[in-house]
Amino acid sequence: MKQSAADRPSGSLPREAEELMQNPSALKALIQSPETKRLISLLQQQGDLQGAAKQAKAGDASALQEMLRRLGQSREGGDALTNLEGRLERR
């Protein structure tokens, strides 16, 4: 059963993210995957992805979360997120 963000202690990463952080080759493959590239492209179309990523790195992920929420509401964005999630599960 997947653990939602609300179920994790603050600051902890999902199990999948922890595993990726321990496996640089898997992380590189994920970053270079067509699913990730499509998702980044869709996020960039929404606005200031770099600014949202910088805020998240500094501890405020609200802008990035909002971008992902909006993206998930569109058919194309929902498909991109589902495809990326499927790739993570197949690892």
Side-chain angles (χ1 to χ4, degrees):
M1 183 169 136
K2 288 189 179 179
Q3 189 180 40
S4 73
D7 296 334
R8 287 188 302 276
S10 177
S12 70
L13 294 171
R15 179 186 51 79
E16 295 89 347
E18 291 284 353
E19 290 172 3
L20 278 171
M21 297 302 287
Q22 300 300 319
N23 186 342
S25 62
L27 182 58
K28 183 177 180 180
L30 178 65
I31 290 169
Q32 294 176 344
S33 74
E35 295 90 351
T36 300
K37 289 178 180 182
R38 181 67 186 138
L39 185 59
I40 290 171
S41 173
L42 291 169
L43 286 167
Q44 287 172 330
Q45 291 173 19
Q46 287 192 26
D48 185 15
L49 177 58
Q50 286 184 335
K54 283 180 184 178
Q55 283 181 302
K57 185 177 178 182
D60 178 11
S62 61
L64 189 54
Q65 289 171 330
E66 177 60 19
M67 291 177 84
L68 286 167
R69 186 193 64 74
R70 286 192 319 260
L71 183 66
Q73 291 178 337
S74 72
R75 178 173 174 89
E76 189 176 18
D79 288 347
L81 289 167
T82 299
N83 291 341
L84 183 60
E85 184 177 70
R87 182 174 181 86
L88 285 170
E89 290 173 355
R90 290 189 303 266
R91 270 188 319 102

Coordinates of all heavy atoms in Angstrom, one line a residue:
M1 N 0.8 -1.2 0.0 CA 0.0 0.0 0.0 C 0.9 1.2 0.0 O 1.8 1.4 0.8 CB -0.9 0.0 1.2 CG -1.9 1.1 1.3 SD -3.0 0.8 2.6 CE -3.1 2.3 3.4
K2 N 0.6 2.2 -0.9 CA 1.4 3.4 -1.0 C 1.1 4.3 0.2 O -0.1 4.4 0.7 CB 1.0 4.2 -2.3 CG 1.6 3.5 -3.5 CD 1.4 4.4 -4.6 CE 2.0 3.7 -5.8 NZ 1.9 4.5 -7.0
Q3 N 2.1 5.0 0.6 CA 1.9 6.0 1.7 C 1.7 7.3 1.1 O 2.5 7.8 0.3 CB 3.2 5.9 2.6 CG 3.1 6.6 3.9 CD 4.4 6.5 4.6 OE1 5.5 6.6 4.1 NE2 4.3 6.4 5.9
S4 N 0.7 8.0 1.6 CA 0.4 9.4 1.0 C 1.3 10.4 1.8 O 1.8 10.1 2.9 CB -1.0 9.8 1.2 OG -1.3 10.0 2.6
A5 N 1.4 11.5 1.2 CA 2.3 12.6 1.8 C 1.7 12.9 3.2 O 2.5 13.2 4.1 CB 2.3 13.8 0.9
A6 N 0.4 12.9 3.4 CA -0.2 13.2 4.7 C 0.2 12.1 5.8 O 0.2 12.4 6.9 CB -1.7 13.3 4.5
D7 N 0.5 10.9 5.3 CA 0.8 9.8 6.3 C 2.3 9.8 6.7 O 2.6 9.1 7.6 CB 0.5 8.5 5.6 CG -1.0 8.3 5.4 OD1 -1.8 9.0 6.0 OD2 -1.4 7.6 4.5
R8 N 3.1 10.6 6.0 CA 4.6 10.5 6.3 C 4.9 11.6 7.2 O 4.3 12.7 7.2 CB 5.4 10.7 5.0 CG 5.3 9.5 4.1 CD 6.3 9.7 2.9 NE 6.0 10.9 2.1 CZ 5.1 11.0 1.2 NH1 4.4 9.9 0.8 NH2 5.0 12.1 0.5
P9 N 5.9 11.4 8.1 CA 6.4 12.5 8.9 C 6.9 13.6 8.1 O 7.4 13.4 7.0 CB 7.6 11.8 9.7 CG 7.4 10.4 9.5 CD 6.6 10.2 8.3
S10 N 6.8 14.8 8.5 CA 7.3 16.0 7.8 C 8.7 15.9 7.5 O 9.6 15.5 8.3 CB 7.0 17.3 8.7 OG 7.5 18.4 8.0
G11 N 9.1 16.1 6.2 CA 10.5 16.1 5.8 C 10.9 14.7 5.3 O 12.0 14.6 4.8
S12 N 10.1 13.7 5.5 CA 10.5 12.4 5.0 C 10.0 12.2 3.6 O 9.0 12.7 3.1 CB 9.9 11.3 5.9 OG 8.5 11.2 5.8
L13 N 10.8 11.4 2.8 CA 10.5 11.1 1.4 C 9.7 9.8 1.3 O 9.9 8.9 2.1 CB 11.8 11.0 0.6 CG 12.6 12.2 0.5 CD1 13.9 11.9 -0.1 CD2 11.9 13.3 -0.3
P14 N 8.9 9.6 0.3 CA 8.3 8.3 0.0 C 9.3 7.3 -0.2 O 10.5 7.6 -0.6 CB 7.5 8.5 -1.3 CG 7.5 10.0 -1.5 CD 8.6 10.6 -0.7
R15 N 9.0 6.0 0.1 CA 9.9 4.9 -0.1 C 10.6 4.9 -1.4 O 11.8 4.7 -1.6 CB 9.2 3.6 0.2 CG 10.1 2.3 0.1 CD 9.3 1.1 0.2 NE 8.1 1.0 -0.7 CZ 8.1 0.7 -2.0 NH1 9.3 0.5 -2.6 NH2 7.0 0.7 -2.7
E16 N 9.8 5.1 -2.5 CA 10.3 5.1 -3.9 C 11.4 6.2 -4.0 O 12.4 5.9 -4.7 CB 9.2 5.3 -4.9 CG 8.2 4.2 -4.9 CD 7.0 4.4 -4.0 OE1 7.1 5.3 -3.1 OE2 6.0 3.7 -4.1
A17 N 11.2 7.3 -3.5 CA 12.1 8.4 -3.6 C 13.4 8.1 -2.8 O 14.5 8.3 -3.3 CB 11.5 9.7 -3.1
E18 N 13.3 7.5 -1.7 CA 14.4 7.1 -0.9 C 15.3 6.1 -1.7 O 16.5 6.2 -1.7 CB 14.0 6.5 0.5 CG 13.4 7.4 1.4 CD 14.4 8.3 2.1 OE1 15.6 8.1 2.0 OE2 14.0 9.3 2.8
E19 N 14.6 5.1 -2.3 CA 15.3 4.1 -3.1 C 16.0 4.7 -4.3 O 17.1 4.3 -4.6 CB 14.3 3.0 -3.6 CG 13.8 2.1 -2.4 CD 12.7 1.2 -2.9 OE1 12.3 1.2 -4.1 OE2 12.1 0.5 -2.0
L20 N 15.4 5.7 -4.9 CA 16.0 6.3 -6.1 C 17.2 7.1 -5.6 O 18.2 7.1 -6.3 CB 15.0 7.3 -6.7 CG 14.1 6.7 -7.7 CD1 13.0 7.7 -8.2 CD2 14.8 6.1 -8.9
M21 N 17.2 7.7 -4.5 CA 18.3 8.5 -4.0 C 19.5 7.6 -3.7 O 20.6 8.1 -3.8 CB 17.9 9.3 -2.7 CG 16.8 10.3 -2.9 SD 17.2 11.5 -4.2 CE 18.4 12.5 -3.3
Q22 N 19.2 6.3 -3.4 CA 20.3 5.4 -3.2 C 20.8 4.7 -4.4 O 21.8 3.9 -4.4 CB 19.8 4.3 -2.2 CG 19.4 4.9 -0.8 CD 20.5 5.6 -0.1 OE1 21.6 5.2 -0.1 NE2 20.1 6.7 0.5
N23 N 20.2 5.0 -5.6 CA 20.5 4.3 -6.8 C 20.7 5.3 -7.9 O 19.8 5.6 -8.7 CB 19.5 3.3 -7.2 CG 19.8 2.4 -8.4 OD1 20.7 2.8 -9.1 ND2 19.1 1.3 -8.5
P24 N 21.9 5.9 -8.0 CA 22.1 7.0 -9.0 C 21.8 6.6 -10.5 O 21.3 7.4 -11.2 CB 23.6 7.3 -8.9 CG 24.0 6.9 -7.5 CD 23.1 5.7 -7.2
S25 N 22.1 5.4 -10.8 CA 21.8 5.0 -12.2 C 20.3 4.9 -12.5 O 19.8 5.3 -13.6 CB 22.5 3.7 -12.6 OG 22.0 2.6 -11.8
A26 N 19.5 4.5 -11.5 CA 18.1 4.4 -11.7 C 17.5 5.9 -11.7 O 16.6 6.2 -12.5 CB 17.4 3.6 -10.5
L27 N 18.1 6.7 -10.9 CA 17.6 8.1 -10.8 C 17.9 8.8 -12.2 O 17.1 9.5 -12.7 CB 18.3 8.9 -9.7 CG 17.9 10.3 -9.5 CD1 16.4 10.5 -9.3 CD2 18.7 10.9 -8.3
K28 N 19.1 8.6 -12.7 CA 19.5 9.2 -14.0 C 18.5 8.7 -15.1 O 18.1 9.4 -15.9 CB 20.9 8.8 -14.3 CG 21.4 9.4 -15.6 CD 22.9 9.1 -15.9 CE 23.3 9.8 -17.2 NZ 24.7 9.5 -17.5
A29 N 18.2 7.4 -15.1 CA 17.3 6.8 -16.1 C 15.9 7.4 -16.0 O 15.3 7.7 -17.0 CB 17.2 5.3 -15.9
L30 N 15.5 7.6 -14.8 CA 14.2 8.3 -14.6 C 14.2 9.7 -15.1 O 13.2 10.1 -15.8 CB 13.8 8.2 -13.1 CG 12.4 8.9 -12.7 CD1 11.3 8.1 -13.4 CD2 12.3 9.0 -11.3
I31 N 15.2 10.4 -14.7 CA 15.3 11.8 -15.2 C 15.3 12.0 -16.7 O 14.7 12.9 -17.3 CB 16.5 12.5 -14.5 CG1 16.3 12.7 -13.0 CG2 16.8 13.9 -15.2 CD1 17.5 13.1 -12.3
Q32 N 16.0 11.0 -17.3 CA 16.1 11.1 -18.8 C 14.9 10.4 -19.5 O 14.9 10.3 -20.8 CB 17.4 10.4 -19.2 CG 18.6 11.2 -18.7 CD 19.9 10.6 -19.0 OE1 20.0 9.4 -19.3 NE2 21.0 11.3 -19.0
S33 N 14.0 9.8 -18.8 CA 12.9 9.1 -19.4 C 11.9 10.0 -20.2 O 11.8 11.2 -19.8 CB 12.1 8.3 -18.4 OG 11.3 9.2 -17.6
P34 N 11.3 9.5 -21.2 CA 10.3 10.3 -22.0 C 9.2 10.8 -21.1 O 8.7 11.9 -21.2 CB 9.8 9.3 -23.0 CG 10.8 8.2 -23.1 CD 11.5 8.2 -21.8
E35 N 8.8 10.0 -20.1 CA 7.7 10.4 -19.2 C 8.1 11.6 -18.4 O 7.3 12.5 -18.2 CB 7.4 9.2 -18.2 CG 6.8 8.0 -18.8 CD 7.9 7.0 -19.3 OE1 9.1 7.3 -19.2 OE2 7.5 5.9 -19.7
T36 N 9.3 11.6 -17.9 CA 9.8 12.8 -17.1 C 9.9 14.0 -17.9 O 9.5 15.1 -17.6 CB 11.1 12.4 -16.4 OG1 10.9 11.3 -15.5 CG2 11.6 13.6 -15.6
K37 N 10.5 13.8 -19.1 CA 10.6 15.0 -20.0 C 9.3 15.6 -20.4 O 9.1 16.8 -20.5 CB 11.4 14.5 -21.3 CG 12.8 14.3 -21.0 CD 13.6 13.8 -22.2 CE 15.0 13.6 -21.9 NZ 15.8 13.1 -23.0
R38 N 8.3 14.7 -20.6 CA 6.9 15.2 -20.9 C 6.3 16.0 -19.8 O 5.7 17.0 -19.9 CB 6.0 14.0 -21.3 CG 4.6 14.5 -21.7 CD 4.7 15.3 -23.0 NE 3.4 15.8 -23.3 CZ 3.1 17.0 -23.7 NH1 4.2 17.8 -24.0 NH2 1.9 17.5 -24.0
L39 N 6.5 15.4 -18.6 CA 6.0 16.1 -17.4 C 6.6 17.4 -17.2 O 5.9 18.4 -16.9 CB 6.2 15.2 -16.2 CG 5.6 15.6 -14.9 CD1 4.1 15.8 -15.0 CD2 6.0 14.7 -13.8
I40 N 7.9 17.5 -17.3 CA 8.6 18.8 -17.2 C 8.1 19.8 -18.2 O 7.9 21.0 -17.9 CB 10.1 18.6 -17.3 CG1 10.6 17.9 -16.0 CG2 10.9 19.9 -17.4 CD1 12.0 17.4 -16.0
S41 N 7.9 19.3 -19.5 CA 7.4 20.2 -20.5 C 6.1 20.8 -20.2 O 5.8 22.0 -20.3 CB 7.4 19.5 -21.8 OG 6.8 20.2 -22.8
L42 N 5.2 19.9 -19.7 CA 3.9 20.4 -19.3 C 3.9 21.4 -18.1 O 3.2 22.4 -18.1 CB 3.0 19.2 -18.9 CG 2.6 18.3 -20.1 CD1 2.0 17.0 -19.6 CD2 1.7 19.0 -21.1
L43 N 4.8 21.1 -17.1 CA 4.9 22.0 -16.0 C 5.5 23.4 -16.4 O 5.0 24.4 -16.0 CB 5.8 21.4 -14.9 CG 5.2 20.3 -14.1 CD1 6.2 19.5 -13.3 CD2 4.1 20.8 -13.2
Q44 N 6.4 23.3 -17.4 CA 7.0 24.6 -17.9 C 5.9 25.4 -18.6 O 6.0 26.7 -18.5 CB 8.2 24.3 -18.8 CG 9.4 23.8 -18.1 CD 10.5 23.4 -19.0 OE1 10.3 22.9 -20.1 NE2 11.7 23.5 -18.5
Q45 N 5.0 24.8 -19.2 CA 3.9 25.5 -19.9 C 3.0 26.3 -18.9 O 2.4 27.2 -19.2 CB 3.1 24.6 -20.7 CG 3.8 24.0 -21.9 CD 3.0 23.0 -22.6 OE1 1.8 22.9 -22.5 NE2 3.7 22.1 -23.4
Q46 N 3.0 25.8 -17.7 CA 2.1 26.4 -16.6 C 2.7 27.7 -16.0 O 2.0 28.5 -15.5 CB 1.9 25.4 -15.5 CG 1.0 24.3 -15.8 CD 0.6 23.6 -14.6 OE1 0.5 24.1 -13.5 NE2 0.2 22.3 -14.8
G47 N 4.0 27.9 -16.1 CA 4.6 29.1 -15.5 C 6.0 28.9 -15.1 O 6.8 28.1 -15.7
D48 N 6.4 29.5 -14.0 CA 7.8 29.5 -13.5 C 8.2 28.2 -12.8 O 8.2 28.2 -11.6 CB 7.9 30.7 -12.7 CG 9.4 31.0 -12.2 OD1 10.3 30.3 -12.8 OD2 9.6 31.7 -11.3
L49 N 8.5 27.2 -13.5 CA 8.8 25.9 -12.9 C 10.1 26.1 -12.1 O 10.3 25.6 -11.0 CB 9.0 24.8 -14.0 CG 9.5 23.5 -13.5 CD1 8.5 22.9 -12.4 CD2 9.6 22.5 -14.7
Q50 N 11.1 26.8 -12.7 CA 12.4 27.0 -12.0 C 12.2 27.7 -10.7 O 12.8 27.3 -9.7 CB 13.4 27.7 -12.9 CG 13.9 26.8 -14.0 CD 15.0 27.5 -14.8 OE1 15.1 28.8 -14.9 NE2 15.9 26.7 -15.4
G51 N 11.4 28.7 -10.7 CA 11.1 29.4 -9.5 C 10.4 28.6 -8.4 O 10.8 28.6 -7.2
A52 N 9.5 27.8 -8.9 CA 8.8 26.9 -8.0 C 9.7 25.8 -7.4 O 9.6 25.5 -6.2 CB 7.6 26.2 -8.7
A53 N 10.6 25.3 -8.2 CA 11.6 24.3 -7.8 C 12.6 24.9 -6.8 O 12.9 24.3 -5.8 CB 12.4 23.8 -9.0
K54 N 13.0 26.2 -7.0 CA 13.9 26.9 -6.1 C 13.2 27.0 -4.7 O 13.8 26.9 -3.7 CB 14.3 28.2 -6.6 CG 15.4 28.1 -7.7 CD 15.8 29.4 -8.2 CE 16.8 29.3 -9.3 NZ 17.2 30.6 -9.9
Q55 N 11.9 27.4 -4.7 CA 11.1 27.6 -3.5 C 11.0 26.2 -2.8 O 11.2 26.2 -1.5 CB 9.7 28.1 -3.8 CG 9.6 29.5 -4.1 CD 8.2 29.9 -4.3 OE1 7.5 29.4 -5.2 NE2 7.7 30.9 -3.5
A56 N 10.8 25.2 -3.5 CA 10.7 23.8 -2.9 C 12.0 23.4 -2.3 O 12.0 22.9 -1.2 CB 10.2 22.8 -3.9
K57 N 13.1 23.7 -3.0 CA 14.4 23.4 -2.4 C 14.7 24.1 -1.1 O 15.3 23.6 -0.2 CB 15.5 23.7 -3.4 CG 16.9 23.3 -3.0 CD 17.9 23.5 -4.1 CE 19.3 23.2 -3.6 NZ 20.3 23.4 -4.6
A58 N 14.1 25.4 -1.0 CA 14.3 26.2 0.2 C 13.3 25.8 1.3 O 13.4 26.4 2.4 CB 14.2 27.7 -0.2
G59 N 12.5 24.8 1.0 CA 11.5 24.4 2.0 C 10.1 24.7 1.8 O 9.2 24.3 2.6
D60 N 9.7 25.5 0.8 CA 8.4 25.8 0.5 C 7.9 25.2 -0.8 O 8.2 25.8 -1.9 CB 8.2 27.3 0.5 CG 6.8 27.8 0.2 OD1 5.9 26.9 0.2 OD2 6.6 29.0 -0.1
A61 N 7.3 24.1 -0.7 CA 6.9 23.3 -1.9 C 5.5 23.7 -2.4 O 5.0 23.1 -3.4 CB 6.9 21.8 -1.7
S62 N 4.9 24.7 -1.8 CA 3.5 25.0 -2.1 C 3.3 25.4 -3.6 O 2.3 25.0 -4.2 CB 3.0 26.1 -1.2 OG 3.7 27.3 -1.4
A63 N 4.2 26.2 -4.2 CA 4.0 26.6 -5.6 C 4.1 25.4 -6.5 O 3.4 25.2 -7.4 CB 5.1 27.6 -6.0
L64 N 5.1 24.5 -6.2 CA 5.3 23.3 -7.0 C 4.1 22.3 -6.9 O 3.6 21.8 -7.8 CB 6.6 22.6 -6.7 CG 7.0 21.5 -7.5 CD1 7.1 21.8 -9.0 CD2 8.4 20.9 -7.0
Q65 N 3.6 22.2 -5.6 CA 2.4 21.4 -5.4 C 1.2 21.9 -6.1 O 0.4 21.1 -6.7 CB 2.2 21.3 -3.9 CG 3.2 20.5 -3.1 CD 3.0 20.6 -1.6 OE1 2.5 21.6 -1.1 NE2 3.4 19.6 -0.9
E66 N 1.1 23.2 -6.2 CA -0.1 23.8 -6.9 C 0.0 23.5 -8.4 O -0.9 23.2 -9.0 CB -0.2 25.3 -6.6 CG -1.3 26.0 -7.4 CD -2.7 25.5 -7.1 OE1 -2.9 24.8 -6.0 OE2 -3.6 25.7 -7.9
M67 N 1.3 23.6 -8.9 CA 1.5 23.4 -10.3 C 1.1 21.9 -10.6 O 0.4 21.6 -11.6 CB 2.9 23.6 -10.8 CG 3.3 25.1 -10.7 SD 5.0 25.4 -11.2 CE 4.9 25.4 -13.0
L68 N 1.5 21.0 -9.8 CA 1.2 19.6 -10.0 C -0.3 19.3 -9.8 O -0.8 18.5 -10.6 CB 2.0 18.7 -9.0 CG 3.5 18.6 -9.3 CD1 4.3 18.0 -8.1 CD2 3.7 17.7 -10.6
R69 N -0.9 20.0 -8.9 CA -2.4 19.8 -8.7 C -3.1 20.2 -10.0 O -4.0 19.5 -10.5 CB -2.8 20.6 -7.5 CG -4.3 20.4 -7.2 CD -4.9 21.4 -6.2 NE -4.9 22.8 -6.8 CZ -5.7 23.2 -7.7 NH1 -6.6 22.4 -8.2 NH2 -5.7 24.5 -8.1
R70 N -2.8 21.4 -10.5 CA -3.4 21.9 -11.7 C -3.1 20.9 -12.9 O -4.0 20.7 -13.7 CB -2.9 23.3 -12.1 CG -3.5 24.4 -11.2 CD -3.3 25.8 -11.7 NE -2.0 26.0 -12.2 CZ -1.0 26.6 -11.6 NH1 -1.2 27.1 -10.4 NH2 0.2 26.8 -12.2
L71 N -1.9 20.5 -13.0 CA -1.5 19.6 -14.1 C -2.3 18.3 -14.0 O -2.8 17.8 -15.0 CB 0.0 19.3 -14.0 CG 0.5 18.4 -15.1 CD1 0.5 19.1 -16.4 CD2 2.0 18.0 -14.8
G72 N -2.5 17.8 -12.8 CA -3.2 16.5 -12.6 C -4.7 16.6 -13.0 O -5.3 15.6 -13.2
Q73 N -5.2 17.9 -13.0 CA -6.6 18.1 -13.4 C -6.9 18.0 -14.9 O -8.0 17.9 -15.3 CB -7.1 19.4 -12.8 CG -7.2 19.3 -11.3 CD -7.7 20.6 -10.6 OE1 -7.6 21.7 -11.2 NE2 -8.2 20.5 -9.4
S74 N -5.8 18.2 -15.7 CA -6.0 18.1 -17.1 C -5.8 16.7 -17.6 O -5.1 15.9 -16.9 CB -5.0 19.0 -17.8 OG -3.7 18.5 -17.7
R75 N -6.4 16.4 -18.7 CA -6.3 15.0 -19.2 C -4.8 14.7 -19.6 O -4.3 13.6 -19.2 CB -7.2 14.8 -20.4 CG -7.1 13.4 -21.0 CD -8.1 13.2 -22.1 NE -7.9 12.0 -22.8 CZ -8.4 10.8 -22.4 NH1 -9.2 10.8 -21.4 NH2 -8.2 9.7 -23.1
E76 N -4.2 15.6 -20.3 CA -2.8 15.4 -20.7 C -1.9 15.3 -19.5 O -1.0 14.4 -19.4 CB -2.4 16.5 -21.6 CG -1.1 16.3 -22.3 CD -0.7 17.3 -23.3 OE1 -1.3 18.4 -23.3 OE2 0.2 17.1 -24.1
G77 N -2.1 16.1 -18.5 CA -1.2 16.1 -17.3 C -1.5 14.9 -16.5 O -0.5 14.3 -16.0
G78 N -2.7 14.5 -16.3 CA -3.1 13.3 -15.6 C -2.4 12.1 -16.2 O -1.9 11.2 -15.5
D79 N -2.5 12.0 -17.6 CA -1.9 10.9 -18.3 C -0.4 10.9 -18.0 O 0.3 9.8 -17.8 CB -2.1 11.0 -19.8 CG -3.6 10.6 -20.1 OD1 -4.3 10.1 -19.3 OD2 -4.0 10.9 -21.3
A80 N 0.3 12.1 -18.1 CA 1.7 12.2 -17.9 C 2.1 11.7 -16.5 O 3.1 11.0 -16.3 CB 2.2 13.6 -18.1
L81 N 1.3 12.1 -15.5 CA 1.6 11.7 -14.1 C 1.4 10.2 -13.9 O 2.2 9.5 -13.3 CB 0.7 12.5 -13.1 CG 1.1 13.9 -13.0 CD1 0.0 14.7 -12.2 CD2 2.4 14.1 -12.2
T82 N 0.4 9.7 -14.5 CA 0.1 8.2 -14.5 C 1.2 7.4 -15.1 O 1.7 6.4 -14.6 CB -1.3 7.9 -15.1 OG1 -2.3 8.6 -14.4 CG2 -1.5 6.4 -15.1
N83 N 1.7 7.9 -16.3 CA 2.8 7.2 -17.0 C 4.1 7.2 -16.2 O 4.8 6.2 -16.1 CB 3.0 7.9 -18.4 CG 1.9 7.6 -19.3 OD1 1.1 6.7 -19.2 ND2 1.8 8.4 -20.4
L84 N 4.4 8.4 -15.5 CA 5.5 8.4 -14.7 C 5.4 7.5 -13.5 O 6.4 6.8 -13.1 CB 5.8 9.9 -14.3 CG 7.1 10.1 -13.5 CD1 8.3 9.7 -14.2 CD2 7.2 11.6 -13.0
E85 N 4.3 7.5 -12.9 CA 4.0 6.6 -11.7 C 4.2 5.2 -12.2 O 4.8 4.4 -11.4 CB 2.6 6.8 -11.2 CG 2.4 6.0 -9.9 CD 1.0 6.3 -9.4 OE1 0.0 6.0 -10.0 OE2 0.9 6.9 -8.3
G86 N 3.7 4.8 -13.3 CA 3.9 3.4 -13.8 C 5.3 3.1 -14.0 O 5.8 2.0 -13.7
R87 N 6.1 4.0 -14.5 CA 7.5 3.8 -14.7 C 8.2 3.6 -13.4 O 9.1 2.7 -13.2 CB 8.2 5.0 -15.4 CG 9.7 4.8 -15.7 CD 10.2 5.9 -16.5 NE 11.6 5.7 -16.8 CZ 12.1 4.9 -17.8 NH1 11.3 4.4 -18.6 NH2 13.4 4.8 -17.9
L88 N 7.8 4.3 -12.3 CA 8.4 4.1 -11.0 C 8.1 2.7 -10.5 O 8.9 2.1 -9.8 CB 7.9 5.2 -10.1 CG 8.5 6.6 -10.2 CD1 7.7 7.6 -9.4 CD2 10.0 6.6 -9.8
E89 N 6.9 2.3 -10.7 CA 6.4 1.0 -10.2 C 7.1 -0.1 -10.9 O 7.3 -1.2 -10.3 CB 4.9 0.9 -10.3 CG 4.2 1.7 -9.3 CD 2.7 1.8 -9.5 OE1 2.2 1.1 -10.5 OE2 2.0 2.4 -8.7
R90 N 7.5 0.1 -12.2 CA 8.2 -1.0 -13.0 C 9.7 -1.1 -12.6 O 10.3 -2.1 -13.0 CB 8.0 -0.7 -14.5 CG 6.6 -0.9 -15.0 CD 6.6 -0.8 -16.5 NE 7.2 0.4 -17.0 CZ 6.5 1.5 -17.3 NH1 5.2 1.6 -17.1 NH2 7.1 2.6 -17.9
R91 N 10.2 -0.2 -12.0 CA 11.7 -0.2 -11.7 C 12.0 -1.5 -11.0 O 11.6 -2.0 -10.2 CB 12.1 1.0 -10.8 CG 12.5 2.2 -11.4 CD 13.0 3.2 -10.4 NE 12.4 3.3 -9.1 CZ 12.8 2.7 -8.0 NH1 13.9 2.0 -7.9 NH2 12.1 2.9 -6.9

